[in-house]
Amino acid sequence: MNLDINKIREDFPILNQQINGHQLIYLDNAATTQKPQSVINKITEVYTQYNANVHRGVHYLSNKATAAMEEARKTIQQFINAESETEIVFTCGATESMNLVASSFGQKFLTEGSGVIVSEMEHHSNIVPWQLLENQNKTKVVKWAFDDRGELNLAELEELIAENTKLLAITYVSNTLGTINPIEQIIEIAHSHNVPVLVDASQAIQHFPIDVQQLDCDFLSFSGHKIYGPTGIGVLYGKKQWLDELPPYQGGGEMIETVSFNGTTFNQLPYKFEAGTPNYVGIIALGEAIRYVQNVGLQNIAQYENTLLQYATDKIKSISELRQIGTAERRASVLSFVVDGAHPFDIGTILDKMGIAVRTGTHCTEPIMQHFGIPGTIRASFAFYNKMEEIDALYDGLIRAVRMLK
Ligand code: PLP
């Protein structure tokens, strides 16, 4: 099926504007995606029609808000094919989801000398929470290095897994290199050594279908704002047997069953991990974003974005001054490059003057920059509302920027 991109773009009001006298070309989708009108409308709908705190009310508005929130949980459960809604925990983003696992899993299962393997291409949010545990309980963070194309070697994983390895925390898709890791094989290897796996799906969930039962991952995290939903809402999927075993993450309302000064008992899943008033407006709007994506169709999205990526990669290659960073065989929607002798920030600033939004810098992946010995990259990242003409404009803009700077 061919997507009608012009029609799709009408759903995203922000795209229709001039920046610095030029039509906006938004190529910063790995940082955050734009929101369709239906998601924006959903937020207004909640605040204008049934805003009330959830779960605790007997009145009409509270019941309606609660039902809408729980319906969103069901939408997300079905979207990733979790076995049960109780396996869907709402957090404020992928970062919090991974901190939750680090905190609760760390408390229960990590002791002095335990090892947590993370890859060299992780976002800081899947490195630093584990490093904090190094200070707390002497857990050891073990790096799984990638090669110069940005690919991980499965045989090396086999070698890294040791008796003390308690967890593998790994991204599905690199936000800087675009690498799609062979996550099914990785999980299979880890499981064959009884090592559970946390998958950071922040850059995967919006690009292709994910089935957590098929993957057999133990935990999976993502942020709502990267899949056309609002900011401030995220998801942690966890297999029920793990979530049952883990201690609560934060204390407060909602996560308890009873509280007394003689002791407190905790609520059932998933509420045990959802202390305080949840971001129910964000949750309801995330449900709407996922419905939107389902209507466009993730297979269609994957196919079209792949065409965009291929087109952009070929164009970039023809500019001799540019060097692509991340050339893995399987990549998703992210194109990083450098211009030797020019700072990424300067290129980004020149492109901005032409209305082209790209991201420059380390993209919260400093170990990747250290690997390549570079200060940062210029990163163009694509969504299904981007057009081939926008990539042509990026190409023209880059030629001009290179001429100005070299
Ligand atoms: N993991 C990856 C791969 C990411 O790209 C990002 C955000 O860029 C995150 C985690 C963190 O997401 P958030 O800042 O929404 O919590």
Side-chain angles (χ1 to χ4, degrees), residues 93-95 98 123 125 171 175 200 202-203 223 225-226:
T95 298
M98 290 185 277
H123 188 276
S125 60
T171 194
N175 62 310
D200 176 4
S202 301
Q203 297 292 344
S223 287
H225 70 97
K226 300 212 196 255

Side-chain angles (χ1 to χ4, degrees), residues 125-139:
S125 60
N126 198 23
I127 299 175
V128 183
W130 310 108
Q131 286 180 331
L132 292 175
L133 291 178
E134 284 190 302
N135 302 332
Q136 267 170 33
N137 61 12
K138 308 273 186 292
T139 290

Side-chain angles (χ1 to χ4, degrees), residues 301-321:
I301 291 174
Q303 209 179 353
Y304 176 67
E305 288 181 347
N306 199 36
T307 316
L308 281 176
L309 180 68
Q310 201 48 55
Y311 185 65
T313 306
D314 290 345
K315 285 227 122 180
I316 295 300
K317 269 197 194 129
S318 70
I319 308 176
S320 60
E321 291 86 348

Side-chain angles (χ1 to χ4, degrees), residues 96-128:
E96 191 183 36
S97 299
M98 290 185 277
N99 274 278
L100 190 163
V101 179
S103 168
S104 293
F105 188 93
Q107 210 180 310
K108 177 96 190 211
F109 294 107
L110 301 179
T111 51
E112 187 166 344
S114 295
V116 174
I117 299 177
V118 302
S119 87
E120 191 184 14
M121 67 175 78
E122 296 310 307
H123 188 276
H124 295 162
S125 60
N126 198 23
I127 299 175
V128 183

